[in-house]
């Protein structure tokens, strides 16, 4: 019954590990969210969408209940768990360029010179949360290294006052300082899967013929 799908038996229930193409977008999550110490991915725990046309592997075919239709178990009322690969943006710390948390160059640390990148919708009137990725609004130089506008940094502390005290709501937000680490942006592929409550219907899959 569960033979690998081919052009001849494409309307049969797919066997585990059949490679298919999505006819409709599918919601998935990253399978393993553990990253190396030097990597940061703000969206790694979020739901993601695989677009139509994306190749996935199907397994664990399950019957689903259809109202007002034929309840005979077959492709029409079958859904699957899926696995696939998805590229996500990660930020990798740059070794040896800026790892000092209390450097004297305040342009690298001052709230007013930092633009939120990830997440991009931070409230500029509030301190940026720890682990926010930011970009320089105005370039500067640190230890002889030119750091242009747009250079990326990861905030690695809570906001502080220029005197090193904890930032309070009555303090001027533009003067807030952070510990920062320089990072570079890259894209890595992650294995993703859907959850048991977001199975993909048979009709939304097409066997990838070779």
């Amino acid at each position: 019954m569960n033979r690998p799908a081919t052009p001849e038996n494409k309307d049969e229930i797919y066997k585990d590990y059949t490679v298919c193409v999505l006819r409709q977008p599918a919601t998935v999550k990253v399978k393993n969210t553990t990253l190396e110490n030097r990597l940061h991915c703000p969206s790694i725990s979020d739901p993601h969408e695989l677009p139509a046309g994306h190749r996935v592997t199907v397994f664990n075919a399950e019957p689903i209940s259809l109202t007002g239709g034929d309840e005979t178990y077959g492709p029409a009322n079958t859904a699957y768990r899926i696995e696939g690969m998805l590229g996500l943006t990660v930020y990798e710390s740059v070794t040896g360029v800026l790892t000092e948390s209390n450097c004297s160059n305040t342009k690298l640390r001052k709230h007013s010179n930092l633009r939120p990148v990830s997440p991009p919708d931070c409230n500029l009137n509030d301190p940026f949360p720890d682990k926010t990725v930011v970009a320089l609004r105005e370039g500067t130089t640190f230890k002889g290294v030119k750091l242009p506008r747009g250079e990326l940094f990861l905030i690695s502390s809570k906001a502080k006052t220029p005197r090193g005290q904890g930032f309070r709501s009555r303090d001027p937000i533009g003067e807030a300082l952070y510990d920062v680490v320089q990072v570079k942006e890259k894209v890595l592929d992650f294995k993703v899967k859907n959850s048991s409550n977001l199975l993909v219907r048979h009709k939304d899959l097409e066997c990838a013929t070779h």
Side-chain angles (χ1 to χ4, degrees), residues 14-194:
Y14 296 146
K15 186 178 179 180
D16 284 354
Y17 307 112
T18 299
V19 177
C20 294
V21 174
L22 293 173
R23 293 180 181 270
Q24 300 288 338
T27 300
V28 294
K29 298 193 77 172
V30 173
K31 195 171 181 180
N32 181 6
T33 58
T34 302
L35 292 172
E36 298 177 17
N37 289 336
R38 296 178 61 225
L39 297 178
H40 174 64
C41 181
S43 65
I44 195 167
S45 298
D46 297 340
H48 299 280
E49 186 176 272
L50 292 180
H54 203 90
R55 293 170 72 94
V56 297
T57 300
V58 304
F59 59 99
N60 287 10
E62 297 183 21
I64 55 176
S65 176
L66 299 176
T67 58
D70 183 5
E71 292 299 319
T72 303
Y73 181 35
N77 61 347
T78 298
Y80 306 85
R81 297 291 297 272
I82 63 169
E83 285 189 356
M85 301 297 292
L86 180 65
L88 296 178
T89 298
V90 301
Y91 299 91
E92 182 179 18
S93 60
V94 180
T95 304
V97 179
L98 178 61
T99 55
E100 297 182 17
S101 62
N102 58 347
C103 68
S104 58
N105 189 331
T106 56
K107 277 191 174 182
L108 297 176
R109 307 174 56 216
K110 197 172 184 179
H111 184 95
S112 59
N113 195 39
L114 301 175
R115 171 177 57 84
V117 172
S118 183
D121 54 355
C122 293
N123 187 340
L124 300 181
N125 295 318
D126 292 329
F128 297 138
D130 187 18
K131 304 304 181 185
T132 300
V133 177
V134 295
L136 293 180
R137 294 183 182 274
E138 181 181 339
T140 186
T141 300
F142 177 70
K143 290 187 175 181
V145 177
K146 290 185 177 180
L147 300 169
R149 175 185 177 184
E151 199 73 16
L152 297 175
F153 293 86
L154 177 69
I155 289 176
S156 58
S157 74
K158 293 183 178 180
K160 307 173 186 177
T161 68
R163 294 185 177 183
Q165 299 170 328
F167 188 85
R168 299 164 296 184
S169 58
R170 63 175 178 269
D171 294 325
I173 185 60
E175 299 298 314
L177 299 177
Y178 308 91
D179 296 347
V180 294
V181 176
Q182 189 177 15
V183 294
K184 60 182 179 181
E185 183 180 278
K186 62 194 299 186
V187 175
L188 293 180
D189 287 331
F190 291 88
K191 185 173 286 188
V192 293
K193 64 178 182 178
N194 60 341

